[in-house]
Amino acid sequence: MKMQLKKRAAALATAATMVLGLGTAVVATAAPASASDMCFGSWYQNPALPYTLWTPDHNLGYNTNYDPCVPDVQSRINQIYGNVLTVDGYYGAQTQSWVRKFQSDYSWCSFGVDGVVGRNTHTCLGYATGQQH
């Protein structure tokens, strides 16, 4: 469904460009419009941290589908290690690799290296980037 909307939006943008005589193609994408494009979660007390932090309600791991919770993880990894990831919401091999590095570097609060962002790893990312309750 999303792919059809993207193709339709791109075709309309190209047609509008030709009609207006702008001479360059414009690709438009549909804006998220549903609740499924929101990241849901709850507050969690990581045993290694002195306060509670918000965390997604599901684990984040290697997946080819868009997940609205992944951009937060990618942005936090970029804050810690420099701009090493594209913030696109897709948990691919690069995101997994950097999550593993983070888990190794912060093993005292992520409690293991598995490449999956569960509640401990997510709250540890928040702690490492200065998020406080």
Side-chain angles (χ1 to χ4, degrees), residues 94-107:
Q94 289 294 317
T95 300
Q96 183 179 45
S97 176
W98 282 101
V99 165
R100 285 180 181 273
K101 176 167 179 33
F102 173 80
Q103 289 173 327
S104 177
D105 292 347
Y106 289 82
S107 61

Side-chain angles (χ1 to χ4, degrees), residues 44-112:
Y44 174 68
Q45 174 70 53
N46 181 323
L49 301 176
Y51 45 81
T52 61
L53 292 171
W54 183 91
T55 185
D57 64 1
H58 60 284
N59 290 343
L60 307 174
Y62 186 83
N63 192 340
T64 57
N65 295 321
Y66 175 82
D67 187 311
C69 298
V70 172
D72 179 62
V73 170
Q74 293 169 327
S75 294
R76 291 182 189 280
I77 293 287
N78 284 344
Q79 280 183 266
I80 297 164
Y81 296 107
N83 290 322
V84 295
L85 293 172
T86 300
V87 179
D88 60 5
Y90 293 93
Y91 198 113
Q94 289 294 317
T95 300
Q96 183 179 45
S97 176
W98 282 101
V99 165
R100 285 180 181 273
K101 176 167 179 33
F102 173 80
Q103 289 173 327
S104 177
D105 292 347
Y106 289 82
S107 61
W108 61 271
C109 72
S110 66
F111 300 107

Side-chain angles (χ1 to χ4, degrees), residues 1 5 8 10 19 22 27 29 44 49 63 82 97 100 103 113 116 124 126 128:
M1 181 75 170
L5 289 173
R8 201 174 292 157
V19 169
L22 298 175
V27 178
T29 58
Y44 174 68
L49 301 176
N63 192 340
S97 176
R100 285 180 181 273
Q103 289 173 327
V113 178
V116 174
C124 193

